Amino acid sequence: MTLKRSYEDEILAPALGLLQSLGSTRDSQLEILEGAASLLGGFSLNEFRSRFDCGGTLKATRALQGAEKVLGVVAKCPIPAPLALCALARPHVSEAEQRSSGAYYTDYRLAQFLANAVESRLVSGSRVIDPAAGTGILLVAASLAACGDDRRRRTSWLAESVTAWDISQDALRGARLALASLTADLRAVEKMVSRWLCHDSLLAKGVPEAAFDVVIGNPPWEKLKITRHEFLRANGSPRHYGADYPTIDQGLFSEKHDCMAKYGAELLLRYPMLGSGEPDLYRAFIELFLKLARPEGCVSVLVPAGLIRSEGTQDLRAFLFDNAGDLSFTVLENRARFFAIDTRFKFLGLLFTKTDVERRRRTIRIAHSRGTEHGVERIGSALLDRKTLQATRPDLTVPEVKSQEEWRLFNTMYANGESSILPGSIWQNEIVREVDMTRDAKNFQRDRKAGLLPLIEGRMVHQHRFGAKTYKSGTGRQAKWEIVPLGTKKIEPQFWYPQNALPPAVRQRVDSLRAGFCDITGQTNERTMLAALVPPGVVCGNKVPTVRFINDTREERLYLWLAVVNSFSFDWALRRIVTTTVNYFLLNSMPLPKLSLDSAVGRTVVAASRELSLIDSAVNAIDIWKVAHLRASIDVGVHAAYGLDFKDLELMFQDFPLLDRAQPPLRGEQRSTVTRDFVLSHASEYFNLQHNAFADRLSAASAVGAVPYVPSEFAAAGIELPVEASHG
């Protein structure tokens, strides 16, 4: 779900609307806000204008009249007035400008969260800096955390401690007025501003290093690249991903591309952790933060979640592990609408001290927090031993475990699993993207003809189901697809691909049986891993990588792999490290159980997986309860193969809250848990538990018509389920 505006924008909308009605220009609006700062701080607006050579669009009396009205509206919202001034002072940018700059304004709750994390360091005499300050909301939050309502302390704090840098003079004007609202002493504000610099902090020369006790920030999350899509959006062309490209100004596009490449090359000379390819600016800022911090100084910043997940940030993680003590990552999700972007978007609060190798701690904290209407609250955390983490995840990716129990469970799976990248492993695989949806688009055809193969896209693949959806109309993200009922085999793609246009190796591959998976996913989806058997005679797009095994080419190996990766246990572990894509890097880093094809469990799991792959080709009516029994036998068998027990399975199910949304709940309950109850009932029998606490719940669920393992989108689309038997 992509938002039109954030929660902060929503609650400040009345104040912003009033401000814009009172001031028709950017300058006049800032003058009204400077008037508001004078009313809050208790200083003379005329003296402020004289000291800082600002004002002139509006008379002071008119600016103050407008300021009173704006503050009256601000007083009705939950944002502290000085923080509200920061938000109201921000320059308006379009969605395209925001995406290209990577500058997403800091929500007041996040500002307070970052400031509170370093409150113990915000003492008299300490120095704090935000080198990408914008309109100063983080510095205001830090000042409030340091001084509270003590106005005398605020005055000395501003005079001695607060430094802001930013590339925009206009933004720094907003920061100045917001911080000025904390004091009546303009000499303190003047002294504070004398330290400020308007520059590109990443390339500035002669700036003080190792000079600050606290570095706080929300640096740009911009990738140094320019795409045709973003170029067209920035130049006013409305379009969506996947749509055909109109003619673009190639000269201007090349100029922008070359300028960005030159800038990236300059940065790379100064910040080795920036990396190559399409580097992210926040990586350079992390290096800058460390340079600015004093020994044992503290850094509290917001960064993308890719820092703990991405293959490309491995060097940066190692750099942090070597230079940071008290290292803590707090995982945050945008469900509280911090930013006007997808609510599923995840990011991090990064907190650490600048510490040499000898003094760093042996543990790393991974915490999870969520936004509320008034702030940010912690919902779980775990301490990870660095040596154990490095043994489990040699790439230093940090699993998103929420407790010590989850950390133990995660490590157990790795201890009892086998990596697919080990030479000689039965799981060693060959993963191939057969056709690229962008590079090879010139060969795509809409109509079926002789010599053309169906082109399989990600949404056509579901767990154990190939051809789960058929194409109806539209293009790109506007394309419309229809769910195929269980028991029906139908391949109706959006595109067809000429077989003679395939490279020889791919042509040979599409004639074979292989496994495929949808690589677009998410941690918070109903299920994260979606994999199915891919038959010969079709070619898969790049969103459906296909898998074959190097050391064991039997069909049974494919069926066993499908059983494992579609299981709840594998899915749970994958959710600890995945973002929005299941790439080779992540998939090959996952442990697969040491499950022999010749073992009793292996044979049971393979037989169930094979039968599930044939469901849509069945001649007789499909019994959905039989499907559920097959799937539960796989889930319990794979879980046991990882060396896990019943309590571990109970814990894992807490991570799948979207299951059974469309199933009728038991009386007195808010949602159905029929899939959980069904699997745990099977697990009770498998682990020989004396009391099966879930059998009664399962009977009650069956009585009200609930059915396990049914994707919620089936019921939402009105797909009738073939039920031929009870759950017994």
Side-chain angles (χ1 to χ4, degrees), residues 393 414 418-420 570 573-574 577 586-592:
R393 305 290 299 170
Y414 272 81
E418 183 176 342
S419 171
S420 59
F570 183 92
L574 182 63
I577 59 173
L586 288 178
L587 193 58
N588 283 328
S589 72
M590 291 290 296
L592 295 166

Side-chain angles (χ1 to χ4, degrees), residues 130-141:
D130 184 348
T135 55
I137 196 167
L138 287 167
L139 292 171
V140 171

Side-chain angles (χ1 to χ4, degrees), residues 308 317 321 327 329 362-366 383-401 407 410-411 414 577:
I308 61 171
R317 288 191 293 274
F321 285 16
L327 183 58
F329 303 101
R362 292 181 296 176
T363 56
I364 297 166
R365 181 175 294 279
I366 178 75
L383 286 175
L384 316 186
D385 178 77
R386 291 191 186 213
K387 288 185 177 180
T388 304
L389 175 64
Q390 192 155 12
T392 303
R393 305 290 299 170
D395 54 31
L396 303 179
T397 48
V398 181
E400 293 182 24
V401 291
W407 176 230
F410 188 82
N411 281 308
Y414 272 81
I577 59 173

Side-chain angles (χ1 to χ4, degrees), residues 141-162:
S143 299
L144 291 173
C147 308
D149 294 328
D150 187 334
R151 294 182 68 83
R152 290 186 61 182
R153 189 178 177 196
R154 285 182 180 183
T155 298
S156 60
W157 170 261
L158 295 178
E160 304 297 334
S161 297
V162 178

